[in-house]
Amino acid sequence: MFESISPAPPDAILGLTDAFKADTNPRKINLGVGVYKDESGQTPILTAVKKAEARLLEKETTKSYLPISGAQAYALGVQELLLGEGHALISEGRIQTAHTPGGTGGLRVGGDFLKKFRPDASIWVSNPTWANHKAVFQASGFTVKEYDYYDAAHQSLDFDAMLEALSTVPAGDVVLLHVCCHNPTGVDPRPAQWEKIAEVAEVAGWFPFFDFAYQGFGTSVEADRFPLELFAGKNLEFGVAASFSKNFGLYNERTGSFSIAGQEKAAVEAAFSHVKTVIRSNYSNPSRHGGAIVEEVLGDPALRQEWLEELDTMRDRIKELRTALVEGLSARGIDRDFGFIAEQNGMFSFSGLTPEQVKTLKEQNSIYIVGSGRINVAGINRDNLNPLCDAIAAVMD
Ligand code: LMR
């Protein structure tokens, strides 16, 4: 069988990491995969996480299975981050949460669950979107369609086109929305625009499915959850896949969630029982370690505070790097205003570099950028900023 199989293409994002590792150029720069790096180029383990792990080592008494949807304390911790402590959806039991293998696992569990009850629906993703969204939902059996999102000429949200597109999505279809720090563009709707999106969702009757991979990387943990509070306030049913890869730095612990929220506790519980059957037939139940870390940090006020401060540091550093990049490019007299990079949110900058320019940067400078022109700003530091700006200036000549 294997002899008749030709190789799959490398992954658009993780494949770049493999190529970067194989590159022997000592001055290589990895701005591909969305992983936070500190000034020394390391992806650190947060201090709050290390402390929680030390406690877990002491406290752990068994390696027995978790429930299919994970620990209840983890689910509650996730819900309180998504919506804020004491939110009505939580106190009234109208939100249910499963611990999934990362945010990607949350998207896939959500996709499989939705496909079961909406077999003829399409799922709509923004154009552009995270390179893996289409593959995840196609694997769930969905036809994937796109709604307008980005105005490349003005490096901004094409809000009119977005709203127009969303208002034509048929009732019962699924619309994937990035809660904050849109991947890959870093361009998010403003609160007033979210209000309009929620109004369209209400009138059109499509199912909102949120991808929340960067909570805390936009403005703050609280401010970034605004779209969820808004949809919850309108009593709309929705799903959320969330991730602790970025905001807890738990990338390889694969720690995420899938939640569903609705108007009636009994209906949400019935629906959630099917989320569990999806999980059971897929990976049975989640691995514990990453979730236990999150539980430990969120459950202890001092550790929680320490985590929030570390998250602030990561976010502030990325914002400073954005400004440094804009200044570095402008100092080289490039005939284009890169000021928009400083306005974007989250880890990524949608640079506007063409696929050819991205290819040249890789081949001539060992600078690794996703083919769409998406730069992981967190991969920049004092040592590589100047060579990076020189290289970008050269390809733009
Ligand atoms: C990214 O967009 O680079 C990250 O979300 C990592 C991934 O899995 O693609």
Side-chain angles (χ1 to χ4, degrees):
M1 183 180 84
F2 297 161
E3 280 157 21
S4 65
I5 300 176
S6 48
D11 183 79
I13 296 175
L14 299 184
L16 273 186
T17 309
D18 297 337
F20 176 81
K21 282 189 181 145
D23 191 328
T24 53
N25 182 347
R27 287 190 296 277
K28 62 187 177 177
I29 304 175
N30 188 1
L31 306 177
V33 65
V35 165
Y36 178 81
K37 291 182 199 152
D38 61 17
E39 188 51 35
S40 64
Q42 299 304 311
T43 300
I45 300 176
L46 300 187
T47 310
V49 166
K50 268 286 186 206
K51 288 183 184 171
E53 283 185 304
R55 290 187 195 173
L56 291 176
L57 203 60
E58 287 301 312
K59 287 201 302 199
E60 192 178 51
T61 54
T62 179
K63 296 282 186 195
S64 185
Y65 294 121
L66 286 182
I68 294 173
S69 57
Q72 196 46 43
Y74 176 81
L76 180 61
V78 169
Q79 291 165 4
E80 290 183 343
L81 277 182
L82 296 182
L83 294 163
E85 275 173 50
H87 192 280
L89 279 182
I90 304 172
S91 58
E92 294 164 16
R94 294 188 288 116
I95 179 167
Q96 297 278 327
T97 298
H99 173 178
T100 58
T104 309
L107 290 166
R108 180 61 194 274
V109 166
D112 287 359
F113 161 72
L114 290 166
K115 182 69 188 167
K116 195 165 168 178
F117 296 99
R118 288 276 183 272
D120 301 323
S122 298
I123 186 161
W124 296 71
V125 299
S126 60
N127 178 22
T129 195
W130 178 47
N132 202 25
H133 274 149
K134 283 185 192 165
V136 167
F137 295 119
Q138 281 166 348
S140 288
F142 274 105
T143 299
V144 181
K145 296 181 177 165
E146 289 180 332
Y147 59 87
D148 292 328
Y149 189 83
Y150 189 64
D151 176 351
H154 300 96
Q155 296 95 19
S156 62
L157 180 66
D158 193 345
F159 185 63
D160 290 344
M162 178 190 187
L163 211 60
E164 168 77 24
L166 292 183
S167 61
T168 63
V169 171
D173 273 10
V174 180
V175 173
L176 188 84
L177 297 159
H178 302 223
V179 182
C180 71
C181 308
H182 182 269
N183 182 0
T185 67
V187 173
D188 296 320
R190 292 190 304 274
Q193 294 173 323
W194 274 114
E195 306 257 6
K196 294 229 157 59
I197 295 168
E199 279 166 26
V200 167
E202 212 171 6
V203 173
W206 39 257
F207 183 87
F209 186 2
F210 291 97
D211 184 348
F212 205 5
Y214 293 89
Q215 185 170 11
F217 276 87
T219 305
S220 66
V221 163
E222 294 79 21
D224 290 352
R225 65 164 78 107
F226 173 78
L228 297 185
E229 292 174 310
L230 180 70
F231 277 65
K234 286 189 171 294
N235 246 343
L236 290 167
E237 287 183 340
F238 60 90
V240 193
S243 170
F244 290 116
S245 295
K246 326 284 173 167
N247 55 15
F248 269 75
L250 288 174
Y251 305 91
N252 67 13
E253 298 294 353
R254 309 308 300 131
T255 311
S257 60
F258 175 64
S259 304
I260 52 170
Q263 297 166 2
E264 299 287 339
K265 180 173 191 264
V268 173
E269 280 174 354
F272 192 69
S273 68
H274 292 275
V275 172
K276 290 201 242 179
T277 64
V278 162
I279 291 171
R280 177 68 173 141
S281 61
N282 188 339
Y283 55 89
S284 189
N285 49 70
S287 61
R288 177 176 176 272
H289 189 64
I293 293 168
V294 171
E295 261 176 69
E296 189 68 30
V297 171
L298 295 180
D300 178 301
L303 271 193
R304 185 192 175 97
Q305 187 53 33
E306 192 161 355
W307 164 61
L308 286 170
E309 282 165 19
E310 292 187 279
L311 180 52
D312 287 349
T313 303
M314 291 194 278
R315 184 182 58 245
D316 292 347
R317 178 168 180 277
I318 294 173
K319 285 190 195 292
E320 281 163 22
L321 288 167
R322 287 185 180 281
T323 310
L325 179 59
V326 173
E327 287 171 1
L329 293 173
S330 124
R332 280 153 181 87
I334 300 174
D335 187 23
R336 188 197 285 179
D337 180 6
F338 278 99
F340 62 89
I341 290 177
E343 306 303 319
Q344 297 164 337
N345 293 321
M347 228 177 238
F348 305 118
S349 169
F350 210 45
S351 63
L353 290 168
T354 64
E356 292 70 37
Q357 290 167 333
V358 168
K359 188 161 172 271
T360 307
L361 286 169
K362 181 173 159 202
E363 287 172 359
Q364 294 186 359
N365 307 86
S366 295
I367 295 173
Y368 289 77
I369 293 173
V370 178
S372 62
R374 188 195 83 172
I375 288 176
N376 174 19
V377 181
I380 303 173
N381 55 44
R382 258 192 299 277
D383 285 343
N384 66 26
L385 177 66
N386 282 321
L388 172 67
C389 292
D390 288 342
I392 293 178
V395 294
M396 298 207 55
D397 236 359

